[in-house]
Amino acid sequence: MRRTALLASAALLTSLLPLAVARAADDPPPVPVDRFEGEVPFAGPPENGIFTWGSDTDDPPTLRLSPREDAPEGDKVLSGTYDISGYGGFTHDFAFAEPAHDWSARKGIRFWWEGQDNGKKVAFELKDGGANGEASELWTTSFTDDFTGWKQIEIPFTDFAYRTDYQPVGGIDHVLGLTQMWGYAVTLPVGAPGRFAMDGVELYGRADQSLRASVLTDSAVYPVDEGGTATVKVTVAITGSAPLDEPVTVAYDTAGGTASTSDYTPLKGEFTFPAGTASGTTRTLKVATLKDKAAETAETVPLKLTVTGAKAPAETPQVVIDAHGLPYLNSKLPVKKRVADLLSRMSLAEKTGQMTQAERGAVGTGADIATEDLGSLLSGGGSTPTPNTPEAWAKMIDSFQLWAQATRLQIPLVYGVDAVHGHNNLVGATVMPHNIGIGATRDPRLAQRTGAVTAAEVRATGIPWDFAPCLCVTRDERWGRSYESFGEDPALVESMETVIQGLQGARSGKDLSRGDKVLATAKHFVGDGGTAYGSSTTGTYTIDQGVTTVTRKQLEAIHLAPYRTAVDRGVGTVMPSYSSLDVVGDGLGPVKMHARADMINGVLKDRMHFDGFVISDWNGIDQIPGDYASDVRTSVNAGVDMVMAPYAYKDFRTALIQEVRAGRVSERRIDDAVSRILTQKFRLGLFEKPYADTSGASRIGSAGHRAVAREAAAESQVLLKNSGGLLPLRTSQKVYVAGSDADDIGNQSGGWTVTWQGSSGDITPGTTILEAMRKSSARLTYSKDASAPTDGYDVGVVVVGETPYAEGVGDVGNGHDLELSATDRAAVDKVCAAMKCAVLVVSGRPQLIGDRLGEIDALVASWLPGTEGDGVADVLYGRRPFTGQLPVTWPRSQAQLPINVGDAAYDPQFPYGWGLTTLGKVPAGGLTTLKALGLAARAAERAGADETGRALVTKARLIVQERARSVTAPMAAPFADADRLLLTGRYAEAVAKLTEAYRAA
């Protein structure tokens, strides 16, 4: 039945559509936006049209225009199906070439939605201002599908909130102007298959001032020293930016709050913004506090604003008289005494708040920080302020810290972020090679310098805590997190843990309060890199978050070893793994690491004497079997001190309080957790300086910082093959460059870059490999797909590899494999058939390239070099030598996986530790020279001359590589073993193994 027929009978309308809202008598007729009769095509930007999108290939919904007898508008509706694991939805963008639409005269937007009564939230988003629909400002709200049949959803424009988790162009003016509208978008529910139908999108009603005008204050919290005066700026803001039609009156009163009238001078009165007042006009109020001699906790003076003719502020502004005179505020006292004093003053509610971490996008403007006594916030991957600039990060975090100052004890927040290869969430930051590349450098000093650059850039934006480094020992290249590991051998991972000193400074923690250091996190404890393929039960993941099955001896030697080193280095926090640990013979079977008290309390805290705090992973406790109360009880009793409950932070805190009151979690356990957290906050200097120190912001992305990243990129390049000495290239050569990753800053940076999963394209400032090569060659032609003619070139360089992914999304079997794409294979085949060629593999893990190895003259494992492609060009053109070594075994085929150094059957394409060099001539003399090197290595080992010992083993390794025309199993095993021995200081044994490899080559 069509809407025209329904309107013929008011009674029928009432019975069939009871939730429809009648039009007010003085409302203008609605203005259609979409009727879905075919007037708007399925087409993407820049055309006028409807298009779908999603986090991966499976997530965009299917859409169609379906004839329906019961269509509320016309004959057809927009209908579709979806099954979304990440995010997905659809958008109607207006044509970029035509003027934007003016919606400012209307009350809101409405549409018909066919409910499925699934209880899911559906997000609806507006596109306001900017150049076009993909360069606009996003404003969002949602409705709940808790009904069946057709319902008209009406949304006043005043219900829309500025989107804080993502803005395509970093935001514009943070005002929903409505005068330049570019369309709308719908984000569909995740987690289960569903269907929907929609019809009749239109603008309705007449805008009125009480809905358009708002009264705002410049802050929600105004901390002042006792005796100081708070200055509160009160501003009128008007949607659509038109002047006031009618007066707006503001009455103010300081009654109430925890402060008494002996603490401040009461303030009460009224003022008016008259008709004709422009948007942005400000008035000022001053609240004076009084001084006495008593030591006190913080006290609040609310400034209640009663507004007539406009919306009042969402939060009542609070003047806060700062806590003063208490021992925990005395920076001259030892940290241990300050912690004890503060802990003695805290209630259970305040303690559990310290153990709770929320996502920034979940707390809105931050009022819950005060009401829930939250101890920490984080930015998940891609959760950034708008605009995504250093200044905006600092301003955002300072605004959250202000709310912490509104609490009784004024315990500052500790804000955390995943800066896993530089401050990777920040556009314009220096993006380092991922850990797999750092492992390839075999350069602990350089690893420390990359950590120092990361720390300086992170802290300069107001963030004192980094969820890095990952100390995983990757044992299967099918794992989507392989690139987060320094390598497959624990000795290599341990050697790269100098990055902890780069991040934190001195082992004692004395440097943590510096403006260029951050608290580090060793993750993911323990065994995350050893999960078995096919053991994951998380969504469509195949290996990430699965089960690690090991003997006790294997656990100690492979997965626990890096954590001993991290604790010795003074790492401040440790994060448990999502994965399960199954220790053979312990009778427990697979147990989620967030629940393993024997490992967190027993091994980490008791045996290793870890004195920092344990932070859970994102919703990590939710994977423990049982109900939520059980999850909370089990994880906290297992030794988790702070729980990352991004959006369920209230539920966690409530459950924890209930568990303590019921006696199932002891107050002693709570006090231990809170003491650990407070200790790190004091060490970070947050009580003295809670706000951002931006003095180092000018060095973010600076030439000096990028020089470190460039050096790391150069040292990470591993030369696997170099027939005829093709590399390094000469600047005089005529070079043909092809491949999907040659000119793509997003691809060469990988996942965890600007967004969680990363993305292809020009996503952040930097230098692509192609751009860097152009600086060295005036005779260079680039053809991405190798479609340009290939005649007349001296050499070809084909840059191929992976597109970005992160975590289990990148697992092999979850939409990924270890093969080059068909386009990349075609480019390699065409270029290498036409000329001498070098192939660079840009990837987070080895790629299976053995079937093409014969046609390739030079092969380079470039890993994920980050934003400084100049480092790659430096080794290609000989400004720096190739010195990198494989941090993982390069397999011949996927059937070999997992394959690792030390395996009984070991026959790789290239062994662990392999890496040709262009540094200089390889020593001559064969076995005679190796014998001499062995004797010298033994002497160096006895003398403790590590640098000499390493140099001697390197010479022996080069001799073996020079002799080997191909890699065979008898040669590969001792060759790889030698590198393990080298990393543990057994230089003579390493040379002996290399001698064995030489004989087998």
mmCIF file of all heavy atoms in Angstrom, residues 228-257:
data_model
loop_
_atom_site.group_PDB
_atom_site.id
_atom_site.type_symbol
_atom_site.label_atom_id
_atom_site.label_comp_id
_atom_site.label_asym_id
_atom_site.label_seq_id
_atom_site.Cartn_x
_atom_site.Cartn_y
_atom_site.Cartn_z
ATOM 1 N N GLY A 228 42.637 32.105 44.491
ATOM 2 C CA GLY A 228 42.648 32.611 43.123
ATOM 3 C C GLY A 228 41.251 32.908 42.607
ATOM 4 O O GLY A 228 40.240 32.623 43.262
ATOM 5 N N THR A 229 41.184 33.475 41.404
ATOM 6 C CA THR A 229 39.916 33.835 40.776
ATOM 7 C C THR A 229 39.784 33.116 39.444
ATOM 8 O O THR A 229 40.718 33.139 38.626
ATOM 9 C CB THR A 229 39.823 35.350 40.544
ATOM 10 O OG1 THR A 229 39.863 36.022 41.815
ATOM 11 C CG2 THR A 229 38.528 35.727 39.836
ATOM 12 N N ALA A 230 38.652 32.476 39.243
ATOM 13 C CA ALA A 230 38.377 31.794 37.978
ATOM 14 C C ALA A 230 37.633 32.722 37.041
ATOM 15 O O ALA A 230 36.681 33.408 37.450
ATOM 16 C CB ALA A 230 37.549 30.542 38.224
ATOM 17 N N THR A 231 38.056 32.763 35.785
ATOM 18 C CA THR A 231 37.397 33.580 34.760
ATOM 19 C C THR A 231 36.651 32.650 33.810
ATOM 20 O O THR A 231 37.270 31.793 33.171
ATOM 21 C CB THR A 231 38.423 34.410 33.979
ATOM 22 O OG1 THR A 231 39.097 35.280 34.890
ATOM 23 C CG2 THR A 231 37.736 35.237 32.899
ATOM 24 N N VAL A 232 35.342 32.808 33.733
ATOM 25 C CA VAL A 232 34.487 31.953 32.921
ATOM 26 C C VAL A 232 33.924 32.766 31.764
ATOM 27 O O VAL A 232 33.261 33.787 31.975
ATOM 28 C CB VAL A 232 33.335 31.362 33.756
ATOM 29 C CG1 VAL A 232 32.452 30.461 32.903
ATOM 30 C CG2 VAL A 232 33.882 30.613 34.967
ATOM 31 N N LYS A 233 34.203 32.319 30.549
ATOM 32 C CA LYS A 233 33.681 32.988 29.361
ATOM 33 C C LYS A 233 32.422 32.272 28.892
ATOM 34 O O LYS A 233 32.437 31.063 28.672
ATOM 35 C CB LYS A 233 34.730 33.017 28.256
ATOM 36 C CG LYS A 233 35.941 33.868 28.596
ATOM 37 C CD LYS A 233 36.953 33.881 27.455
ATOM 38 C CE LYS A 233 38.152 34.767 27.817
ATOM 39 N NZ LYS A 233 39.170 34.778 26.725
ATOM 40 N N VAL A 234 31.338 33.035 28.756
ATOM 41 C CA VAL A 234 30.039 32.494 28.343
ATOM 42 C C VAL A 234 29.732 33.016 26.942
ATOM 43 O O VAL A 234 29.717 34.227 26.717
ATOM 44 C CB VAL A 234 28.927 32.910 29.321
ATOM 45 C CG1 VAL A 234 27.606 32.285 28.915
ATOM 46 C CG2 VAL A 234 29.296 32.511 30.747
ATOM 47 N N THR A 235 29.508 32.099 26.009
ATOM 48 C CA THR A 235 29.357 32.457 24.588
ATOM 49 C C THR A 235 28.030 31.952 24.056
ATOM 50 O O THR A 235 27.575 30.862 24.431
ATOM 51 C CB THR A 235 30.504 31.834 23.766
ATOM 52 O OG1 THR A 235 31.757 32.292 24.288
ATOM 53 C CG2 THR A 235 30.405 32.198 22.293
ATOM 54 N N VAL A 236 27.412 32.730 23.161
ATOM 55 C CA VAL A 236 26.226 32.262 22.459
ATOM 56 C C VAL A 236 26.651 31.805 21.067
ATOM 57 O O VAL A 236 27.389 32.496 20.360
ATOM 58 C CB VAL A 236 25.132 33.357 22.387
ATOM 59 C CG1 VAL A 236 25.589 34.558 21.569
ATOM 60 C CG2 VAL A 236 23.838 32.781 21.806
ATOM 61 N N ALA A 237 26.234 30.592 20.681
ATOM 62 C CA ALA A 237 26.546 30.032 19.362
ATOM 63 C C ALA A 237 25.240 29.679 18.674
ATOM 64 O O ALA A 237 24.319 29.155 19.314
ATOM 65 C CB ALA A 237 27.425 28.794 19.494
ATOM 66 N N ILE A 238 25.154 29.942 17.385
ATOM 67 C CA ILE A 238 23.890 29.795 16.661
ATOM 68 C C ILE A 238 24.106 28.918 15.442
ATOM 69 O O ILE A 238 24.945 29.220 14.584
ATOM 70 C CB ILE A 238 23.338 31.169 16.235
ATOM 71 C CG1 ILE A 238 23.279 32.110 17.448
ATOM 72 C CG2 ILE A 238 21.967 31.029 15.594
ATOM 73 C CD1 ILE A 238 23.249 33.565 17.076
ATOM 74 N N THR A 239 23.369 27.808 15.361
ATOM 75 C CA THR A 239 23.440 26.932 14.195
ATOM 76 C C THR A 239 23.023 27.713 12.962
ATOM 77 O O THR A 239 21.995 28.394 12.951
ATOM 78 C CB THR A 239 22.516 25.723 14.378
ATOM 79 O OG1 THR A 239 22.945 24.991 15.514
ATOM 80 C CG2 THR A 239 22.547 24.829 13.155
ATOM 81 N N GLY A 240 23.795 27.602 11.911
ATOM 82 C CA GLY A 240 23.528 28.377 10.709
ATOM 83 C C GLY A 240 24.190 29.719 10.727
ATOM 84 O O GLY A 240 24.172 30.451 9.741
ATOM 85 N N SER A 241 24.788 30.081 11.867
ATOM 86 C CA SER A 241 25.573 31.309 12.024
ATOM 87 C C SER A 241 24.770 32.590 11.860
ATOM 88 O O SER A 241 25.338 33.661 11.674
ATOM 89 C CB SER A 241 26.773 31.315 11.048
ATOM 90 O OG SER A 241 27.579 30.178 11.268
ATOM 91 N N ALA A 242 23.442 32.520 11.908
ATOM 92 C CA ALA A 242 22.625 33.731 11.825
ATOM 93 C C ALA A 242 22.564 34.409 13.188
ATOM 94 O O ALA A 242 22.715 33.758 14.217
ATOM 95 C CB ALA A 242 21.221 33.378 11.362
ATOM 96 N N PRO A 243 22.319 35.738 13.244
ATOM 97 C CA PRO A 243 22.181 36.415 14.536
ATOM 98 C C PRO A 243 20.942 35.921 15.278
ATOM 99 O O PRO A 243 20.047 35.292 14.700
ATOM 100 C CB PRO A 243 22.039 37.893 14.149
ATOM 101 C CG PRO A 243 22.524 37.989 12.743
ATOM 102 C CD PRO A 243 22.230 36.671 12.112
ATOM 103 N N LEU A 244 20.854 36.251 16.578
ATOM 104 C CA LEU A 244 19.689 35.881 17.373
ATOM 105 C C LEU A 244 18.439 36.590 16.873
ATOM 106 O O LEU A 244 18.462 37.796 16.593
ATOM 107 C CB LEU A 244 19.912 36.246 18.840
ATOM 108 C CG LEU A 244 20.940 35.434 19.637
ATOM 109 C CD1 LEU A 244 21.096 36.033 21.034
ATOM 110 C CD2 LEU A 244 20.523 33.987 19.716
ATOM 111 N N ASP A 245 17.332 35.848 16.768
ATOM 112 C CA ASP A 245 16.042 36.451 16.442
ATOM 113 C C ASP A 245 15.403 37.072 17.674
ATOM 114 O O ASP A 245 14.698 38.072 17.599
ATOM 115 C CB ASP A 245 15.081 35.385 15.889
ATOM 116 C CG ASP A 245 15.583 34.792 14.595
ATOM 117 O OD1 ASP A 245 16.249 35.518 13.826
ATOM 118 O OD2 ASP A 245 15.322 33.597 14.365
ATOM 119 N N GLU A 246 15.675 36.426 18.826
ATOM 120 C CA GLU A 246 15.069 36.866 20.079
ATOM 121 C C GLU A 246 16.144 36.909 21.160
ATOM 122 O O GLU A 246 17.189 36.272 21.037
ATOM 123 C CB GLU A 246 13.964 35.891 20.496
ATOM 124 C CG GLU A 246 12.849 35.737 19.474
ATOM 125 C CD GLU A 246 11.935 34.573 19.810
ATOM 126 O OE1 GLU A 246 12.155 33.938 20.870
ATOM 127 O OE2 GLU A 246 11.020 34.290 19.023
ATOM 128 N N PRO A 247 15.898 37.624 22.248
ATOM 129 C CA PRO A 247 16.902 37.706 23.312
ATOM 130 C C PRO A 247 17.145 36.329 23.955
ATOM 131 O O PRO A 247 16.256 35.491 24.008
ATOM 132 C CB PRO A 247 16.280 38.668 24.323
ATOM 133 C CG PRO A 247 15.213 39.381 23.590
ATOM 134 C CD PRO A 247 14.718 38.453 22.530
ATOM 135 N N VAL A 248 18.352 36.140 24.455
ATOM 136 C CA VAL A 248 18.713 34.963 25.243
ATOM 137 C C VAL A 248 19.179 35.451 26.610
ATOM 138 O O VAL A 248 20.105 36.261 26.713
ATOM 139 C CB VAL A 248 19.809 34.138 24.555
ATOM 140 C CG1 VAL A 248 20.341 33.061 25.495
ATOM 141 C CG2 VAL A 248 19.289 33.513 23.270
ATOM 142 N N THR A 249 18.504 34.957 27.655
ATOM 143 C CA THR A 249 18.828 35.383 29.018
ATOM 144 C C THR A 249 19.577 34.272 29.749
ATOM 145 O O THR A 249 19.204 33.092 29.652
ATOM 146 C CB THR A 249 17.547 35.740 29.785
ATOM 147 O OG1 THR A 249 16.873 36.787 29.082
ATOM 148 C CG2 THR A 249 17.863 36.198 31.196
ATOM 149 N N VAL A 250 20.608 34.633 30.471
ATOM 150 C CA VAL A 250 21.416 33.688 31.232
ATOM 151 C C VAL A 250 21.440 34.117 32.697
ATOM 152 O O VAL A 250 21.957 35.192 33.027
ATOM 153 C CB VAL A 250 22.853 33.604 30.689
ATOM 154 C CG1 VAL A 250 23.668 32.601 31.498
ATOM 155 C CG2 VAL A 250 22.870 33.256 29.217
ATOM 156 N N ALA A 251 20.852 33.291 33.556
ATOM 157 C CA ALA A 251 20.944 33.506 34.996
ATOM 158 C C ALA A 251 22.029 32.608 35.551
ATOM 159 O O ALA A 251 22.161 31.454 35.130
ATOM 160 C CB ALA A 251 19.602 33.200 35.654
ATOM 161 N N TYR A 252 22.836 33.097 36.494
ATOM 162 C CA TYR A 252 23.953 32.326 37.029
ATOM 163 C C TYR A 252 23.930 32.343 38.549
ATOM 164 O O TYR A 252 23.473 33.296 39.193
ATOM 165 C CB TYR A 252 25.288 32.854 36.506
ATOM 166 C CG TYR A 252 25.480 34.346 36.655
ATOM 167 C CD1 TYR A 252 26.040 34.886 37.820
ATOM 168 C CD2 TYR A 252 25.111 35.204 35.636
ATOM 169 C CE1 TYR A 252 26.221 36.246 37.960
ATOM 170 C CE2 TYR A 252 25.290 36.572 35.759
ATOM 171 C CZ TYR A 252 25.841 37.095 36.930
ATOM 172 O OH TYR A 252 26.018 38.446 37.072
ATOM 173 N N ASP A 253 24.420 31.241 39.129
ATOM 174 C CA ASP A 253 24.373 31.086 40.579
ATOM 175 C C ASP A 253 25.424 30.057 40.994
ATOM 176 O O ASP A 253 25.535 28.998 40.370
ATOM 177 C CB ASP A 253 22.977 30.610 41.002
ATOM 178 C CG ASP A 253 22.773 30.644 42.503
ATOM 179 O OD1 ASP A 253 23.752 30.871 43.237
ATOM 180 O OD2 ASP A 253 21.628 30.414 42.942
ATOM 181 N N THR A 254 26.198 30.342 42.030
ATOM 182 C CA THR A 254 27.253 29.438 42.485
ATOM 183 C C THR A 254 26.838 28.578 43.668
ATOM 184 O O THR A 254 27.687 28.004 44.349
ATOM 185 C CB THR A 254 28.507 30.241 42.878
ATOM 186 O OG1 THR A 254 28.144 31.248 43.840
ATOM 187 C CG2 THR A 254 29.136 30.890 41.662
ATOM 188 N N ALA A 255 25.570 28.463 43.922
ATOM 189 C CA ALA A 255 25.110 27.671 45.063
ATOM 190 C C ALA A 255 25.399 26.192 44.841
ATOM 191 O O ALA A 255 25.376 25.689 43.713
ATOM 192 C CB ALA A 255 23.614 27.885 45.280
ATOM 193 N N GLY A 256 25.630 25.463 45.950
ATOM 194 C CA GLY A 256 25.870 24.023 45.878
ATOM 195 C C GLY A 256 27.347 23.703 45.768
ATOM 196 O O GLY A 256 28.216 24.567 45.900
ATOM 197 N N GLY A 257 27.669 22.440 45.521
ATOM 198 C CA GLY A 257 29.048 22.020 45.400
ATOM 199 C C GLY A 257 29.635 21.583 46.722
ATOM 200 O O GLY A 257 29.002 21.656 47.773
#
